[in-house]
Amino acid sequence: MTRPQLRVLARGHQILDIFLTALAFVLAYQIKRTYLPESLAGLSTAPNYYLILLTTLVTAYLAYSFFSFYDGFQKKSLNRIVKEVFKGVAAGTTGLVILLFLLKQLDVSRVFVALYTGFCIALLLLSKLSLFHILHNRRKHGLQTQEILIIGVRERARELISYIQGDGKDHCNIIGCLDIEPDLVGQKVQGDVRIIGALAEYRSLILEQAVDEVIFALPLKKVSNARELIGFAEEVGVNVRVLPDWQIQNLMYRPEIASVKIESFVGIPTMVLSSTPKREVGLLIKSVFDRCAAGLGLLVISPLMLGIMALIRLDSRGPVFFRQERSGVNGRRFGMYKFRSMVVDAEKIRDESANEMDGPVYKNSNDTRITRIGKFLRKTSLDELPQLINILKGEMSLVGPRPPLPAEVAQYLSLIHI
């Protein structure tokens, strides 16, 4: 995850906490007013509860910021998160009580304050534990890490690797280095980072592995085809960074898609060429919408899915779900779920001579491997319903292109002409 994305995540996290604090206030108000036993129910009408709510949110915001709720959240342990929530809410409630005293709002019920504090702790813990779980799963599947390929193996590359392994170790992973000469492949550059290939393998490596960013750590004048290499990265959506001593006159490259800017990376000023739109807020909102829609969809259609699962088991032997490896964001591989619509081991008995498509994609309208219920599922696209699980996990988007097979991606190289 890039630094701008981390800043957007922290801002969204902050907004969510303030919203949950306001929700805790409203719940406490309603329960104290209506649902408690007669001896405890009711609220004095003297205080202005809109003013008290505003005071509550201000003190909560200051307390949460003081206890660093949002700084490096992805690096914190579960134990530390829980402690921070208790300390932050306690400090916010203490500040609220002091301000109410100074504002002479003395009719506020102590039971109401206690209810608010309890709800606030519960809601914040629930949200933060959920976020912790989501980030942990994203890290586990490599979605939280910036995968970096370095061009160059000399002093500048070694210094860059040291900086990344120090300042960026929690969100950056160095795949390896490429050198101009192929003779050094396999040798160590710095720490456990090795030379994984020659510059001639640049295109195939980007297509075959998960690569988010390419960093040129050698003078561009030493790269005879720098323009073509950067252009290729631009086409496939991979960011490019160029370290100082830019040698722009040797590049003579005017990007047609990518934006160009100067950005600090692990403390080093770099030139960045990025073909992906910098709409972190929009992407965050889209990600939240995708997950919420997928979760709601799974809940609503669960009876239908259970019925389909029963029909598949009655129709043919084998598992209910079919899990196929696909290529996701920047080459990350994941298992895409579908309802099984073919016989077991169908991949091993594919008839390539019956392929009706040109290129890497396989299609056969008279495929004998498809089961009886499978034909109906495919015709109605019901076999794709389990992909809501992938969307819920953040591996796919609700709306977007079909994730290709790794074998298909491997054949794209022969179709690309630069």
Side-chain angles (χ1 to χ4, degrees), residues 357-399:
M357 301 289 288
D358 294 326
V361 179
Y362 181 87
K363 183 179 180 181
N364 180 4
S365 57
N366 298 313
D367 202 327
T368 58
R369 300 171 301 165
I370 303 175
T371 63
R372 288 174 298 174
I373 187 64
K375 291 179 181 178
F376 171 75
L377 293 177
R378 289 190 169 202
K379 185 176 181 180
T380 57
S381 297
L382 291 174
D383 62 320
E384 299 184 1
L385 290 180
Q387 291 172 27
L388 290 172
I389 299 171
N390 294 113
I391 296 170
L392 194 62
K393 292 169 67 177
E395 296 167 336
M396 291 175 57
S397 179
L398 198 60
V399 178

Side-chain angles (χ1 to χ4, degrees), residues 206-372:
I206 286 180
L207 287 178
E208 293 169 4
Q209 294 197 31
V211 180
D212 296 304
E213 195 158 89
V214 174
I215 303 180
F216 283 82
L218 77 171
L220 290 177
K221 63 183 179 182
K222 294 186 178 182
V223 184
S224 59
N225 59 339
R227 176 179 177 178
E228 288 78 10
L229 298 182
I230 293 175
F232 179 81
E234 180 184 348
E235 284 197 3
V236 298
V238 173
N239 283 4
V240 176
R241 289 185 188 270
V242 183
L243 289 189
D245 188 22
W246 289 322
Q247 298 291 330
I248 299 298
Q249 70 278 8
N250 291 298
L251 185 58
M252 295 298 290
Y253 174 69
R254 197 174 283 182
E256 298 183 16
I257 304 172
S259 61
V260 181
K261 64 179 180 179
I262 307 301
E263 186 179 282
S264 176
F265 178 71
V266 293
I268 303 172
T270 59
M271 182 176 73
V272 184
L273 295 94
S274 174
S275 58
T276 55
K278 298 302 178 184
R279 300 170 183 168
E280 284 85 4
V281 175
L283 292 174
L284 178 63
I285 293 172
K286 185 179 185 301
S287 177
V288 172
F289 172 78
D290 282 349
R291 288 167 185 261
C292 291
L296 181 61
L298 285 170
L299 185 65
V300 171
I301 66 172
S302 55
L304 174 62
M305 292 183 69
L306 288 172
I308 293 173
M309 291 165 66
L311 290 173
I312 292 172
R313 292 302 298 269
L314 291 171
D315 185 51
S316 62
R317 68 176 184 86
V320 170
F321 293 109
F322 173 67
R323 186 177 181 273
Q324 189 177 50
E325 189 177 58
R326 298 278 179 156
S327 291
V329 178
N330 288 346
R332 285 177 172 80
R333 297 188 180 185
F334 68 95
M336 189 178 76
Y337 298 105
K338 284 188 174 185
F339 282 125
R340 182 174 59 83
S341 60
M342 289 187 169
V343 297
V344 177
D345 296 329
E347 290 288 298
K348 297 178 182 178
I349 54 177
R350 185 166 79 172
D351 184 6
E352 293 292 346
S353 63
N355 189 6
E356 300 171 356
M357 301 289 288
D358 294 326
V361 179
Y362 181 87
K363 183 179 180 181
N364 180 4
S365 57
N366 298 313
D367 202 327
T368 58
R369 300 171 301 165
I370 303 175
T371 63
R372 288 174 298 174

Side-chain angles (χ1 to χ4, degrees), residues 1-144:
M1 186 173 285
T2 63
R3 291 183 182 278
Q5 288 173 330
L6 290 173
R7 287 195 295 269
V8 171
L9 179 63
R11 182 61 65 186
H13 190 176
Q14 197 172 35
I15 293 170
L16 176 62
D17 280 357
I18 296 302
F19 170 78
L20 292 176
T21 302
L23 179 60
F25 185 97
V26 172
L27 288 173
Y29 178 88
Q30 291 295 335
I31 289 176
K32 178 65 173 73
R33 184 180 179 184
T34 309
Y35 297 104
L36 289 182
E38 189 175 345
S39 58
L40 296 174
L43 281 169
S44 170
T45 57
N48 183 334
Y49 282 95
Y50 291 106
L51 176 61
I52 295 172
L53 174 58
L54 178 60
T55 305
T56 301
L57 297 181
V58 170
T59 55
Y61 173 81
L62 295 174
Y64 301 163
S65 299
F66 178 80
F67 284 98
S68 303
F69 273 24
Y70 317 105
D71 296 340
F73 181 84
Q74 71 280 1
K75 305 176 187 177
K76 295 177 182 178
S77 66
L78 203 56
N79 187 46
R80 182 180 171 186
I81 291 171
V82 172
K83 286 181 179 179
E84 284 181 355
V85 168
F86 277 95
K87 288 179 181 179
V89 174
T93 302
T94 302
L96 171 64
V97 171
I98 292 172
L99 279 174
L100 290 177
F101 178 77
L102 294 175
L103 295 171
K104 298 182 179 180
Q105 299 287 336
L106 305 179
D107 293 328
V108 178
S109 166
R110 285 174 291 181
V111 175
F112 166 76
V113 174
L115 284 171
Y116 155 73
T117 304
F119 280 126
C120 197
I121 289 173
L123 290 173
L124 290 181
L125 280 177
L126 180 62
S127 70
K128 291 185 187 304
L129 294 181
S130 300
L131 183 58
F132 178 87
H133 179 69
I134 290 170
L135 293 177
H136 176 75
N137 280 342
R138 286 179 64 84
R139 272 197 301 271
K140 183 179 177 181
H141 292 91
L143 298 172
Q144 195 70 15

